[in-house]
Amino acid sequence: MASNILEVKNLYANVDDKEILKGLNLNVKKGEVHVIMGPNGAGKSTLGNVLMGNPNYEVKKGSVKFMDEDITGEDADKIAKLGMFMTFQNPIEVPGITLSNFIRSAYQAKTGGRIRIFEFKKKLKAAMEILNMDPEYADRDLNVGFSGGEKKKAEILQLLMLKPELAILDETDSGLDVDAVRIVSEGVNAFKKEVDGALIIITHSTRILESLDVDYTHILVNGKIVKSAGSELVAEVNENGFEAYIK
Amino acid sequence: MKEKTRVEDVDRSIYDIKNKDLDAYKFQSGLDQDVVLQLSYEKNDPKWMRSFRLRCLEMFNEMNMPQWGPAIDGLDMDNIVTYVRPKDNKMVADWDEVPDEIKSTFERLGIPQAEREALAGVGAQYDSELVYHNLKEEVKQQGVIYSDLESALHGEYADMIRDHFMKLVPPNDHKFAALHGAVWSGGSFVYVPPGVKVEIPLQSYFRLNAPGAGQFEHTLIIVDEGADLHFIEGCSAPKYNIANLHAGCVELFVGKNAKMRYSTIENWSKNMYNLNTKKARVEEGGSVEWISGSFGSHVSYLYPTSVLAGRGASSEFTGVTFSGGGQDLDTGCKAIHLAPDTTSFVNTRSISKDGGKNTFRSSIVVMPEAKNSKAAVSCESLMLDSISRSDTIPAMDIRTKDADIGHEAKIGKISDDAVFYLMSRGLSEEEAKALIVSGFADNVSKELPLEYAVEMNNLIRLEMIGSIG
């Protein structure tokens, strides 16, 4: 049996001195797809941010192990280099660097080597085609003036190019129309197929899950996972909501 | 697109190269009538220039040091060498004839290569004298004059120079304008005839090598009716432990319906007092655009001024100032609206770090005659830590009701969310911050030719990370 690439043990975390995660446990193996669902304010996004090393979140107790290294309290760039990636709900606009140059910088930071420009452009073009992105976006400043949907696609583009071991999709489908959700799902499927990457999908809707094979579903309520099951749990939540899990 | 441009390889050590004993001839430090007369003799000045210099010296002695800006106590004129002539100095139009040591300095700075690739003409000044001046043949054919000022004083354009020299920036403007008038040396004269559009930029590069020296170059540019010119100025110096002084002067005369763009990337070393004066006069329908990047010097006083003299004249100032530890940079601009329908736009960014001090100072004056004029000032500051300082002093003197005036100022800190976002993609904290600061300064970098924009971003990286990746 494959070993865990991510092990979260009894994790407590605060933001602005407020306790959000209260003893969370989660194990992810290579290539697995985990869905985290839960009501607003349950701590879903906090989980993503803590795993990715956001310094605004403080780990009070417990540990996070990723790729056999203890990454509790580690800097985001170190965690990224180990192979974790998170898509942002609101990707930041950074004028002065193009999307293409940014991805290349990130790629080189991660691999520690240079990639030839021709080879890079070819890969980028192929990835943009999967996402049905206008190639012109490669030369536009990172996220500047992108619509909500374009920003989300640009996040998935980075996922496809950086090929992490584990990708956390934080509400990637929120605010997208049906077509955009389908395209984003195709991108995510391409990532799975190409690198057999693991996924943690944080969502409160289920549209993005329709075209993905989900291995596990977790219900997160009040900072803890209160129920874990297979993909059938998605359908159940769809039907009944979270009422049964909120005390 | 180019994968790599020449300036990506620039590092601090290139700016810091000090050449030794190259000055065959230099004045004793200090300033008196004998020094000025000796300089005038060396320069073979026409008579009027000699008496002008002496009048300026008198004004300099009578005027007080400015009391309103950053401290300049560390600047003692008795210790400043006003004239340093490089060894074997003669100005040439062929890089091969420039003395090896000087040539290699400019080669490391990328000047000859930039000339071959992207410029219509280049002037290179080393300490007090120009060592190189050249203009592309096809631009010469258009009737454009680009030469050193000293020889132009004796040539075909002698009268034109006399009519314009320090008429826009009179020596009694302030103490350092008077000093400049007394001891100016080097610089460029440019004349663009009516209707001539110079398609690619001209550049002058100023290098101050001698410790304790002053550089006082004068740039006089006349763009005649309907003509068009882009001029780029670059400056750098190695770091010494004693004060150096730069008190240059730039005068731009922009004719009717003419267009002038003046770009500067200033990277003086951090022992430099940069007390520079720049001014443009714009006639009817003409426009001046200032693009200004200030990175170096210990203390700067720099406020390019646009006098909008004719109906419909316009000015645009786009600037970025970066103050690191030990730097006190007082920068901004002025616009004086004298005629109806004139417009001025100001867009500046300032960055302060490691205790650096930044003051944005602007002055917009709209005279009663300047009906239907428009002015908009926007300044943004970014402070990278809590020990740095940023001040904004925008003055507006509006003397007609019939004007449209706007002002906005923003002071902020670097966003933690943005840093985290970039770090989550594998960039280190320093790289992430450097990227954000470069982006913040893109009002200037996107106005510069590619090579210069890259150089500017490298200077930002240098300040942020301490090395070029």
Side-chain angles (χ1 to χ4, degrees), chain B residues 165-204:
Chain B
F165 184 86
M166 291 201 85
K167 289 294 193 310
L168 199 49
V169 179
N172 63 5
D173 210 28
H174 56 83
K175 191 173 178 77
F176 291 92
L179 174 66
H180 176 88
V183 298
W184 75 269
S185 177
S188 297
F189 169 64
V190 183
Y191 174 68
V192 186
V196 170
K197 311 227 181 279
V198 184
E199 305 283 345
I200 46 177
L202 299 180
Q203 185 192 26
S204 280

Short mmCIF file of all heavy atoms in Angstrom, two decimals, chain B residues 165-204:
data_model
loop_
_atom_site.label_atom_id
_atom_site.label_comp_id
_atom_site.label_asym_id
_atom_site.label_seq_id
_atom_site.Cartn_x
_atom_site.Cartn_y
_atom_site.Cartn_z
N PHE B 165 21.37 79.83 -23.13
CA PHE B 165 22.12 79.26 -22.01
C PHE B 165 21.76 79.93 -20.68
O PHE B 165 21.91 81.13 -20.51
CB PHE B 165 23.62 79.39 -22.27
CG PHE B 165 24.48 78.75 -21.21
CD1 PHE B 165 24.79 77.41 -21.26
CD2 PHE B 165 24.96 79.50 -20.14
CE1 PHE B 165 25.57 76.82 -20.28
CE2 PHE B 165 25.74 78.92 -19.15
CZ PHE B 165 26.05 77.58 -19.22
N MET B 166 21.24 79.13 -19.76
CA MET B 166 20.82 79.60 -18.43
C MET B 166 19.85 80.77 -18.48
O MET B 166 19.84 81.62 -17.60
CB MET B 166 22.03 79.87 -17.54
CG MET B 166 22.74 78.56 -17.18
SD MET B 166 23.78 78.60 -15.71
CE MET B 166 22.61 78.29 -14.38
N LYS B 167 19.02 80.77 -19.53
CA LYS B 167 17.94 81.75 -19.60
C LYS B 167 16.70 81.15 -18.94
O LYS B 167 15.87 81.86 -18.39
CB LYS B 167 17.64 82.10 -21.07
CG LYS B 167 18.75 82.93 -21.72
CD LYS B 167 18.83 84.30 -21.06
CE LYS B 167 19.69 85.32 -21.82
NZ LYS B 167 21.02 84.91 -22.22
N LEU B 168 16.59 79.84 -19.03
CA LEU B 168 15.42 79.17 -18.44
C LEU B 168 15.67 78.90 -16.95
O LEU B 168 14.79 79.07 -16.12
CB LEU B 168 15.21 77.85 -19.21
CG LEU B 168 13.86 77.17 -19.12
CD1 LEU B 168 12.73 78.14 -19.38
CD2 LEU B 168 13.82 76.03 -20.13
N VAL B 169 16.88 78.49 -16.67
CA VAL B 169 17.29 78.33 -15.27
C VAL B 169 18.29 79.45 -14.99
O VAL B 169 19.49 79.28 -15.20
CB VAL B 169 17.97 76.97 -15.02
CG1 VAL B 169 18.42 76.84 -13.57
CG2 VAL B 169 17.04 75.83 -15.40
N PRO B 170 17.84 80.60 -14.55
CA PRO B 170 18.79 81.69 -14.31
C PRO B 170 19.65 81.36 -13.09
O PRO B 170 19.20 80.65 -12.18
CB PRO B 170 17.89 82.90 -14.02
CG PRO B 170 16.58 82.31 -13.59
CD PRO B 170 16.47 80.96 -14.23
N PRO B 171 20.88 81.85 -13.07
CA PRO B 171 21.78 81.49 -11.97
C PRO B 171 21.26 81.93 -10.59
O PRO B 171 21.62 81.33 -9.59
CB PRO B 171 23.09 82.21 -12.31
CG PRO B 171 22.78 83.14 -13.43
CD PRO B 171 21.56 82.64 -14.10
N ASN B 172 20.41 82.95 -10.56
CA ASN B 172 19.88 83.36 -9.26
C ASN B 172 18.69 82.53 -8.80
O ASN B 172 18.06 82.82 -7.80
CB ASN B 172 19.53 84.86 -9.27
CG ASN B 172 18.42 85.16 -10.27
OD1 ASN B 172 17.86 84.25 -10.89
ND2 ASN B 172 18.11 86.44 -10.46
N ASP B 173 18.37 81.47 -9.55
CA ASP B 173 17.27 80.57 -9.19
C ASP B 173 17.50 79.99 -7.78
O ASP B 173 16.61 79.97 -6.95
CB ASP B 173 17.20 79.43 -10.21
CG ASP B 173 15.80 78.90 -10.38
OD1 ASP B 173 14.86 79.69 -10.17
OD2 ASP B 173 15.63 77.71 -10.71
N HIS B 174 18.70 79.47 -7.56
CA HIS B 174 19.07 79.00 -6.23
C HIS B 174 20.59 78.86 -6.18
O HIS B 174 21.26 78.95 -7.20
CB HIS B 174 18.37 77.67 -5.87
CG HIS B 174 18.61 76.58 -6.85
ND1 HIS B 174 19.74 75.78 -6.82
CD2 HIS B 174 17.90 76.17 -7.93
CE1 HIS B 174 19.68 74.91 -7.82
NE2 HIS B 174 18.58 75.13 -8.51
N LYS B 175 21.11 78.62 -5.01
CA LYS B 175 22.57 78.65 -4.81
C LYS B 175 23.31 77.69 -5.74
O LYS B 175 24.38 78.02 -6.25
CB LYS B 175 22.88 78.33 -3.35
CG LYS B 175 24.34 78.58 -2.96
CD LYS B 175 24.53 78.40 -1.46
CE LYS B 175 25.98 78.59 -1.04
NZ LYS B 175 26.40 80.00 -0.97
N PHE B 176 22.73 76.53 -5.97
CA PHE B 176 23.46 75.55 -6.76
C PHE B 176 23.32 75.78 -8.27
O PHE B 176 24.12 75.28 -9.05
CB PHE B 176 23.09 74.13 -6.34
CG PHE B 176 23.62 73.83 -4.97
CD1 PHE B 176 22.83 74.05 -3.84
CD2 PHE B 176 24.93 73.42 -4.80
CE1 PHE B 176 23.35 73.83 -2.58
CE2 PHE B 176 25.45 73.20 -3.54
CZ PHE B 176 24.66 73.41 -2.41
N ALA B 177 22.31 76.56 -8.64
CA ALA B 177 22.24 77.01 -10.03
C ALA B 177 23.35 78.03 -10.26
O ALA B 177 24.02 78.02 -11.31
CB ALA B 177 20.88 77.63 -10.32
N ALA B 178 23.59 78.88 -9.28
CA ALA B 178 24.68 79.86 -9.38
C ALA B 178 26.02 79.13 -9.45
O ALA B 178 26.88 79.45 -10.28
CB ALA B 178 24.65 80.81 -8.19
N LEU B 179 26.18 78.11 -8.60
CA LEU B 179 27.41 77.32 -8.62
C LEU B 179 27.61 76.69 -10.00
O LEU B 179 28.70 76.73 -10.57
CB LEU B 179 27.34 76.22 -7.55
CG LEU B 179 28.49 75.22 -7.55
CD1 LEU B 179 29.80 75.92 -7.17
CD2 LEU B 179 28.21 74.06 -6.60
N HIS B 180 26.52 76.13 -10.51
CA HIS B 180 26.59 75.51 -11.83
C HIS B 180 27.06 76.51 -12.88
O HIS B 180 27.94 76.22 -13.69
CB HIS B 180 25.22 74.94 -12.21
CG HIS B 180 25.18 74.37 -13.59
ND1 HIS B 180 25.49 73.06 -13.85
CD2 HIS B 180 24.90 74.94 -14.79
CE1 HIS B 180 25.41 72.85 -15.15
NE2 HIS B 180 25.04 73.97 -15.74
N GLY B 181 26.47 77.71 -12.85
CA GLY B 181 26.84 78.74 -13.82
C GLY B 181 28.32 79.08 -13.74
O GLY B 181 28.97 79.36 -14.75
N ALA B 182 28.87 79.03 -12.54
CA ALA B 182 30.27 79.39 -12.35
C ALA B 182 31.22 78.31 -12.84
O ALA B 182 32.26 78.61 -13.43
CB ALA B 182 30.54 79.69 -10.88
N VAL B 183 30.89 77.06 -12.60
CA VAL B 183 31.87 75.99 -12.85
C VAL B 183 31.39 74.91 -13.81
O VAL B 183 31.97 73.83 -13.87
CB VAL B 183 32.35 75.34 -11.53
CG1 VAL B 183 33.05 76.36 -10.64
CG2 VAL B 183 31.19 74.67 -10.79
N TRP B 184 30.31 75.17 -14.57
CA TRP B 184 29.80 74.11 -15.45
C TRP B 184 30.90 73.62 -16.39
O TRP B 184 31.77 74.38 -16.81
CB TRP B 184 28.57 74.60 -16.24
CG TRP B 184 28.91 75.53 -17.36
CD1 TRP B 184 28.98 76.90 -17.29
CD2 TRP B 184 29.25 75.17 -18.71
NE1 TRP B 184 29.35 77.41 -18.51
CE2 TRP B 184 29.52 76.38 -19.40
CE3 TRP B 184 29.34 73.96 -19.39
CZ2 TRP B 184 29.88 76.39 -20.74
CZ3 TRP B 184 29.70 73.98 -20.74
CH2 TRP B 184 29.96 75.18 -21.39
N SER B 185 30.83 72.32 -16.70
CA SER B 185 31.81 71.73 -17.61
C SER B 185 31.21 70.48 -18.21
O SER B 185 30.63 69.66 -17.51
CB SER B 185 33.08 71.37 -16.83
OG SER B 185 34.00 70.73 -17.70
N GLY B 186 31.32 70.34 -19.51
CA GLY B 186 30.78 69.16 -20.17
C GLY B 186 29.29 69.27 -20.40
O GLY B 186 28.69 70.34 -20.25
N GLY B 187 28.68 68.15 -20.79
CA GLY B 187 27.27 68.16 -21.13
C GLY B 187 27.08 68.18 -22.63
O GLY B 187 28.02 67.98 -23.39
N SER B 188 25.85 68.40 -23.05
CA SER B 188 25.55 68.27 -24.48
C SER B 188 24.71 69.43 -24.99
O SER B 188 23.96 70.05 -24.25
CB SER B 188 24.76 66.99 -24.73
OG SER B 188 25.52 65.86 -24.38
N PHE B 189 24.85 69.66 -26.28
CA PHE B 189 23.97 70.59 -26.97
C PHE B 189 23.25 69.81 -28.07
O PHE B 189 23.88 69.09 -28.85
CB PHE B 189 24.78 71.73 -27.59
CG PHE B 189 23.99 72.59 -28.54
CD1 PHE B 189 22.92 73.35 -28.08
CD2 PHE B 189 24.31 72.63 -29.90
CE1 PHE B 189 22.17 74.13 -28.95
CE2 PHE B 189 23.57 73.42 -30.78
CZ PHE B 189 22.50 74.17 -30.31
N VAL B 190 21.92 69.93 -28.08
CA VAL B 190 21.14 69.26 -29.13
C VAL B 190 20.23 70.27 -29.78
O VAL B 190 19.56 71.05 -29.11
CB VAL B 190 20.26 68.12 -28.55
CG1 VAL B 190 19.52 67.40 -29.67
CG2 VAL B 190 21.08 67.13 -27.74
N TYR B 191 20.24 70.26 -31.11
CA TYR B 191 19.27 71.08 -31.84
C TYR B 191 18.57 70.21 -32.87
O TYR B 191 19.22 69.53 -33.66
CB TYR B 191 19.97 72.27 -32.53
CG TYR B 191 19.02 73.05 -33.41
CD1 TYR B 191 17.98 73.79 -32.85
CD2 TYR B 191 19.13 72.99 -34.80
CE1 TYR B 191 17.08 74.48 -33.65
CE2 TYR B 191 18.23 73.69 -35.61
CZ TYR B 191 17.21 74.43 -35.03
OH TYR B 191 16.31 75.10 -35.81
N VAL B 192 17.25 70.22 -32.81
CA VAL B 192 16.48 69.47 -33.80
C VAL B 192 15.71 70.49 -34.65
O VAL B 192 14.88 71.24 -34.12
CB VAL B 192 15.49 68.49 -33.14
CG1 VAL B 192 14.81 67.62 -34.18
CG2 VAL B 192 16.20 67.61 -32.11
N PRO B 193 15.99 70.55 -35.96
CA PRO B 193 15.38 71.56 -36.82
C PRO B 193 13.86 71.36 -36.97
O PRO B 193 13.36 70.27 -36.67
CB PRO B 193 16.07 71.37 -38.17
CG PRO B 193 17.21 70.46 -37.94
CD PRO B 193 16.92 69.68 -36.70
N PRO B 194 13.15 72.38 -37.44
CA PRO B 194 11.69 72.30 -37.56
C PRO B 194 11.24 71.05 -38.30
O PRO B 194 11.81 70.69 -39.33
CB PRO B 194 11.32 73.56 -38.35
CG PRO B 194 12.45 74.50 -38.10
CD PRO B 194 13.67 73.66 -37.89
N GLY B 195 10.22 70.41 -37.76
CA GLY B 195 9.58 69.29 -38.45
C GLY B 195 10.36 67.99 -38.44
O GLY B 195 9.87 66.98 -38.94
N VAL B 196 11.56 67.98 -37.89
CA VAL B 196 12.36 66.75 -37.93
C VAL B 196 12.00 65.83 -36.77
O VAL B 196 11.97 66.24 -35.62
CB VAL B 196 13.87 67.08 -37.87
CG1 VAL B 196 14.69 65.82 -37.66
CG2 VAL B 196 14.30 67.79 -39.14
N LYS B 197 11.69 64.59 -37.11
CA LYS B 197 11.36 63.62 -36.07
C LYS B 197 12.53 62.65 -35.93
O LYS B 197 12.86 61.94 -36.88
CB LYS B 197 10.09 62.85 -36.42
CG LYS B 197 8.95 63.78 -36.84
CD LYS B 197 7.66 63.44 -36.16
CE LYS B 197 6.51 64.34 -36.60
NZ LYS B 197 6.47 65.65 -35.93
N VAL B 198 13.15 62.64 -34.77
CA VAL B 198 14.25 61.70 -34.53
C VAL B 198 13.62 60.42 -33.98
O VAL B 198 13.05 60.40 -32.91
CB VAL B 198 15.26 62.28 -33.52
CG1 VAL B 198 16.45 61.34 -33.36
CG2 VAL B 198 15.74 63.66 -33.97
N GLU B 199 13.70 59.36 -34.80
CA GLU B 199 12.92 58.15 -34.50
C GLU B 199 13.44 57.37 -33.30
O GLU B 199 12.67 56.78 -32.56
CB GLU B 199 12.89 57.21 -35.72
CG GLU B 199 12.39 57.85 -37.01
CD GLU B 199 10.86 58.00 -37.04
OE1 GLU B 199 10.21 57.36 -36.21
OE2 GLU B 199 10.36 58.77 -37.88
N ILE B 200 14.76 57.31 -33.15
CA ILE B 200 15.30 56.57 -32.00
C ILE B 200 16.03 57.52 -31.06
O ILE B 200 16.48 58.59 -31.46
CB ILE B 200 16.21 55.38 -32.43
CG1 ILE B 200 17.19 55.82 -33.51
CG2 ILE B 200 15.39 54.21 -32.90
CD1 ILE B 200 18.16 54.73 -33.91
N PRO B 201 16.14 57.16 -29.78
CA PRO B 201 16.64 58.13 -28.80
C PRO B 201 18.13 58.47 -28.92
O PRO B 201 18.92 57.68 -29.44
CB PRO B 201 16.39 57.42 -27.46
CG PRO B 201 15.55 56.25 -27.73
CD PRO B 201 15.71 55.90 -29.16
N LEU B 202 18.46 59.64 -28.42
CA LEU B 202 19.85 60.03 -28.18
C LEU B 202 20.13 59.77 -26.70
O LEU B 202 19.23 59.87 -25.88
CB LEU B 202 20.06 61.52 -28.43
CG LEU B 202 19.81 62.08 -29.82
CD1 LEU B 202 20.08 63.59 -29.81
CD2 LEU B 202 20.72 61.41 -30.83
N GLN B 203 21.38 59.48 -26.37
CA GLN B 203 21.68 59.28 -24.96
C GLN B 203 22.98 59.94 -24.54
O GLN B 203 23.98 59.90 -25.26
CB GLN B 203 21.81 57.78 -24.63
CG GLN B 203 22.00 57.58 -23.13
CD GLN B 203 22.42 56.18 -22.73
OE1 GLN B 203 23.01 55.46 -23.49
NE2 GLN B 203 22.09 55.82 -21.51
N SER B 204 22.96 60.53 -23.36
CA SER B 204 24.19 60.97 -22.72
C SER B 204 24.38 60.18 -21.44
O SER B 204 23.43 60.00 -20.68
CB SER B 204 24.14 62.46 -22.39
OG SER B 204 24.41 63.22 -23.54
#
